[in-house]
């Protein structure tokens, strides 16, 4: 993921606003980042570009570490995954559709 372009602050702000009304679609429980969680996030990205992932019972530092680990496990050549924001126990992830992105970034 190091060679993929990062999001600008304007793009991050746009995506944060777009994610405001979204409900978390994946929850990470006490077992942490399991293969089932990674699969659930991958499947969620098949139907949406922007999603929220909620961690249950994790401290903010743990959430940042989990987002880094999740990003590493989701890294693909077809379409990069970006962590838009980590706030509290919520991480907001963005991956544009490879063929026809729905969200137009500023």
């Amino acid at each position: 993921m190091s060679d993929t372009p990062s999001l600008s602050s304007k793009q991050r702000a746009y995506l944060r606003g777009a994610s405001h009304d979204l409900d978390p679609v994946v929850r990470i429980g006490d077992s942490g980042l399991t293969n089932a969680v990674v699969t659930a996030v991958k499947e969620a990205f098949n139907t949406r570009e922007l999603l929220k992932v909620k961690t249950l019972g994790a401290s903010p530092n743990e959430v940042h570490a989990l987002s880094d680990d999740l990003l590493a496990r989701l890294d693909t050549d077809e379409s990069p995954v970006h962590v838009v924001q980590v706030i509290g126990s919520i991480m907001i992830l963005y991956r544009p559709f490879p063929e026809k992105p729905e969200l137009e970034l500023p």
Side-chain angles (χ1 to χ4, degrees):
M1 169 109 184
S2 58
D3 58 344
T4 59
S6 62
L7 297 172
S8 70
S9 60
K10 187 180 235 181
Q11 291 170 328
R12 284 184 192 280
Y14 172 79
L15 291 170
R16 281 193 305 268
S19 71
H20 183 73
D21 291 331
L22 296 178
D23 291 325
V25 293
V26 177
R27 288 173 175 76
I28 300 174
D30 293 336
S31 299
L33 194 58
T34 62
N35 288 335
V37 169
V38 174
T39 301
V41 172
K42 286 180 181 178
E43 287 176 2
F45 273 131
N46 288 333
T47 58
R48 61 195 75 188
E49 293 179 308
L50 189 63
L51 53 99
K52 283 186 181 178
V53 176
K54 182 172 179 74
T55 57
L56 307 174
S59 72
N61 289 340
E62 291 172 327
V63 177
H64 280 280
L66 280 172
S67 70
D68 291 342
D69 291 345
L70 182 58
L71 202 64
R73 292 178 71 177
L74 292 173
D75 190 19
T76 63
D77 292 332
E78 66 184 41
S79 188
V81 177
H82 300 278
V83 176
V84 175
Q85 183 179 32
V86 175
I87 185 163
S89 63
I90 301 283
M91 59 182 101
I92 301 167
L93 304 175
Y94 170 69
R95 185 182 82 181
F97 289 139
E99 297 295 318
K100 240 177 140 175
E102 289 180 357
L103 293 171
E104 279 192 42
L105 298 180

